Amino acid sequence: MQLSNQIAIFANNYLPSGDAFKAAREEGSNLRQLLTGVMSEFLRMELQITAMVDEWFPDTTETLISNWERTMGIPDDCFPVTSDLDERRENVLFKLAALGLQTSSDFEEFGLKLGQDIKVRSGIDHMAVASGGYATELPVQTFANVTIARQTIVVTEVTTGASFDYNFDFSFIDRKKIMLQCVIRNTIPAHCDVRFVGA
């Protein structure tokens, strides 16, 4: 049964009983046709409400994607505006997920949302004991001194084992990995630096 017929039947059920409104329940009657014409506006309203609900959420929006991007501050250094609607939705979702990142577990969970299996540790954990570090995490890293090691966050990229600098050409690297690195660089504490190394 069509939605317009369902709405007409729904409206008919709210009409008073009796002979005056009996014709509203008969197919082809003038009163039924009048109600069907009036109900077309209710049908239009129902469809618009459904469309509006889809626009509320960034993973289903189409018309309001620019509003979502503007609200989230896209474009920025990490999230460019693209022409692909699915990528634009993903960017909004990733930017929302990046809000409030503070602890190493926050960053690791954010990495998982991007499909990247990472570990975030202090540089001192990756520094050799002979150099003054703890050497509790691999790979061993070389730092100029213990203070720099303490203020450097080491992100171990377990998924690919790739080691690269953010200023490098990323044309062959996963877009989500680029965004993850950019978000980490932009959200770490101001007194810290970050180093991305392979597993």
Side-chain angles (χ1 to χ4, degrees), residues 30-48:
N30 288 340
L31 186 54
R32 177 66 176 251
Q33 290 176 5
L34 173 68
L35 284 174
T36 302
V38 171
M39 290 303 111
S40 65
E41 283 304 304
F42 282 96
L43 172 63
R44 191 175 67 79
M45 180 183 70
E46 184 73 25
L47 295 173
Q48 289 299 321

Side-chain angles (χ1 to χ4, degrees), residues 123-145:
I124 199 79
D125 295 329
H126 288 268
M127 192 173 185
V129 174
S131 303
Y134 303 139
T136 57
E137 296 287 337
L138 292 175
V140 174
Q141 292 287 297
T142 306
F143 293 93
N145 60 49

Side-chain angles (χ1 to χ4, degrees), residues 7-88:
I7 291 174
I9 291 168
F10 173 78
N12 289 338
N13 291 336
Y14 282 94
L15 292 175
S17 58
D19 291 340
F21 294 99
K22 187 165 71 173
R25 292 172 184 81
E26 296 173 7
E27 286 289 334
S29 69
N30 288 340
L31 186 54
R32 177 66 176 251
Q33 290 176 5
L34 173 68
L35 284 174
T36 302
V38 171
M39 290 303 111
S40 65
E41 283 304 304
F42 282 96
L43 172 63
R44 191 175 67 79
M45 180 183 70
E46 184 73 25
L47 295 173
Q48 289 299 321
I49 288 172
T50 304
M52 183 179 67
V53 169
D54 287 342
E55 293 297 324
W56 282 344
F57 302 102
D59 53 342
T60 55
T61 186
E62 289 183 24
T63 308
L64 297 180
I65 188 67
S66 334
N67 293 12
W68 276 104
E69 288 171 334
R70 191 170 42 255
T71 301
M72 296 311 302
I74 297 173
D76 62 9
D77 295 343
C78 302
F79 300 92
V81 171
T82 66
S83 57
D84 182 64
L85 180 62
D86 289 331
E87 280 186 14
R88 293 174 74 184

Side-chain angles (χ1 to χ4, degrees), residues 92-138:
V92 170
L93 290 172
F94 295 153
K95 187 89 184 246
L96 280 169
L99 294 175
L101 293 178
Q102 294 179 353
T103 66
S104 55
S105 62
D106 290 341
F107 285 103
E108 290 170 3
E109 288 173 20
F110 179 66
L112 288 176
K113 288 176 186 171
L114 293 175
Q116 303 297 321
D117 186 18
I118 63 169
K119 283 197 320 184
V120 179
R121 300 291 182 266
S122 170
I124 199 79
D125 295 329
H126 288 268
M127 192 173 185
V129 174
S131 303
Y134 303 139
T136 57
E137 296 287 337
L138 292 175

Side-chain angles (χ1 to χ4, degrees), residues 157-164 177 197-199:
E157 300 179 89
V158 180
T159 303
T160 63
S163 178
F164 49 86
K177 185 180 290 291
V197 298

